[in-house]
Amino acid sequence: MVTMIRLLTIFSVPLFWITGVSLSQEVNQTPSTLLGKPEEKIQLSCSHNIPSYNIILWYQRSVGDTALKLIGYVYYENPTVESLYQGIFDVSGDGAKEAYLHLLKLRQPEDDGQYFCAASYTSCDSGREAYFGGGTRLTVLDPDISDKAIQPNVTVLTPSIHECKDAKDNKNKKTLVCVATGFYPDHVSVSWKINGENVFDGVGTDNSAVWNNETKYSITSRLRVPAGVWYTDSNEFNCTVLFFNGTEYIPFEASVMGDKAPSTGGMTTENYVKSTQTAKLAYIVFIAKSSLYGFFVVVFVWKLQGKSGKHFT
């Protein structure tokens, strides 16, 4: 039995460990993302080239959890699986080189989540630490939804005409919205380009896709640009949604062109229509007033003639 002096401190690992100093380019974990079906058997791999490190550990982070749970580890060529996971997972390989995590029979949704490997060692030397691989995201497809991936529908919505109307002031911003809907599962990432160049400033994307019982998953991303950039009709704004179909990431794209800057002088079509309608209304009012005035004149003359006729008789 291995004396797990150092490992006792990493049986339950907070999430921030794997997003900070504990990540290492010397630890390679594959695959990075994976789709599986219930009852299917899959395998994850982890390798490292760190001298004197002789243990590879495997952790699970279930959906909604913030900590990693130890599944098992391989010390040199000696495998150990925690009692809670025996019969569900298995481990094998050589902790000094490469080890494997075997999911013996996928369950849905129990096995959904992220899996991480870590290279460590059996020593009391506190100056060294475990190093984690990049992780594997696993989704076990729900047979009640679909037995295969469903691709997204992508649309780019143009900015509202009521948002920051001054096209000359580039301190004002216009917001484009990219919407991806109807996909399953939620293995997606969103990026923006302007005229073929990647854009990162002004981009805000939902932290995760949102589930809707009717439309599967959806996700939105927003791009805020200076008003002058939007009001350049030669500019092309592109949104790309990378979707994992079970084998590879496939891009799905949508684009819109910039708008013409609103005119600040001269006669636009909108102004012309408004002015024409105003002129027609003014003409109608003028005719009505003239007719009414003419009617009063006729009545007045008629009354005047009547009075004159009585006077001469």
Side-chain angles (χ1 to χ4, degrees):
M1 177 65 66
V2 179
T3 303
M4 304 300 289
I5 297 175
R6 174 62 174 166
L7 299 182
L8 289 175
T9 63
I10 57 175
F11 273 9
S12 181
V13 183
L15 179 61
F16 68 83
W17 268 53
I18 64 172
T19 58
V21 297
S22 292
L23 288 175
S24 172
Q25 293 182 350
E26 296 177 289
V27 179
N28 181 41
Q29 181 177 339
T30 58
S32 60
T33 187
L34 189 62
L35 302 184
K37 298 179 181 180
E39 305 295 317
E40 186 179 2
K41 181 178 179 178
I42 63 173
Q43 173 181 291
L44 310 183
S45 300
C46 182
S47 62
H48 73 87
N49 57 2
I50 306 175
S52 76
Y53 276 46
N54 51 20
I55 289 181
I56 292 179
L57 305 98
W58 286 99
Y59 294 90
Q60 180 193 49
R61 187 181 73 145
S62 301
V63 176
D65 285 351
T66 58
L68 304 180
K69 295 171 289 187
L70 179 67
I71 297 172
Y73 53 88
V74 181
Y75 169 64
Y76 285 113
E77 296 182 359
N78 300 313
T80 299
V81 176
E82 296 295 290
S83 58
L84 180 64
Y85 297 106
Q86 290 179 3
I88 302 172
F89 300 94
D90 196 9
V91 294
S92 64
D94 185 345
K97 299 177 182 179
E98 184 171 15
Y100 310 95
L101 174 65
H102 309 276
L103 287 79
L104 303 178
K105 185 181 292 186
L106 289 181
R107 304 165 298 164
Q108 204 289 326
E110 294 90 341
D111 294 333
D112 282 351
Q114 291 180 297
Y115 295 81
F116 294 90
C117 70
S120 190
Y121 58 97
T122 53
S123 170
C124 295
D125 180 6
S126 60
R128 304 170 69 185
E129 61 182 329
Y131 290 97
F132 283 84
T136 298
R137 184 181 180 187
L138 169 65
T139 294
V140 183
L141 296 173
D142 186 343
D144 293 334
I145 300 173
S146 177
D147 62 352
K148 60 182 179 180
I150 303 173
Q151 67 187 41
N153 298 309
V154 182
T155 304
V156 175
L157 306 179
T158 58
S160 167
I161 60 174
H162 302 292
E163 180 188 24
C164 303
K165 297 181 179 180
D166 188 354
K168 292 184 177 180
D169 187 358
N170 274 334
K171 293 181 180 179
N172 291 330
K173 302 288 185 178
K174 303 292 283 187
T175 305
L176 296 89
V177 180
C178 179
V179 182
T181 60
F183 58 89
Y184 175 78
D186 58 339
H187 292 223
V188 294
S189 63
V190 185
S191 61
W192 287 90
K193 292 181 180 179
I194 299 178
N195 298 329
E197 298 291 331
N198 291 322
V199 178
F200 303 100
D201 292 339
V203 174
T205 303
D206 295 345
N207 292 328
S208 60
V210 177
W211 172 255
N212 183 295
N213 288 331
E214 294 181 359
T215 61
K216 308 299 186 294
Y217 282 103
S218 64
I219 193 170
T220 60
S221 180
R222 294 150 295 281
L223 172 63
R224 300 197 72 208
V225 298
V229 175
W230 168 247
Y231 286 123
T232 302
D233 58 6
S234 60
N235 283 342
E236 181 181 21
F237 302 85
N238 172 274
C239 172
T240 300
V241 176
L242 281 179
F243 175 70
F244 185 68
N245 66 359
T247 304
E248 59 183 335
Y249 276 93
I250 303 296
F252 295 87
E253 301 181 350
S255 300
V256 294
M257 300 300 295
D259 199 2
K260 291 184 178 180
S263 176
T264 57
M267 181 64 72
T268 65
T269 301
E270 183 179 5
N271 292 336
Y272 175 78
V273 172
K274 288 182 179 180
S275 62
T276 302
Q277 292 175 341
T278 302
K280 287 182 179 179
L281 181 59
Y283 181 75
I284 292 173
V285 172
F286 173 77
I287 294 298
K289 287 183 176 180
S290 299
S291 300
L292 185 61
Y293 177 79
F295 173 77
F296 282 117
V297 170
V298 171
V299 172
F300 176 79
V301 172
W302 178 76
K303 287 185 176 181
L304 184 61
Q305 289 178 344
K307 290 180 180 181
S308 300
K310 290 181 180 180
H311 178 76
F312 286 111
T313 57

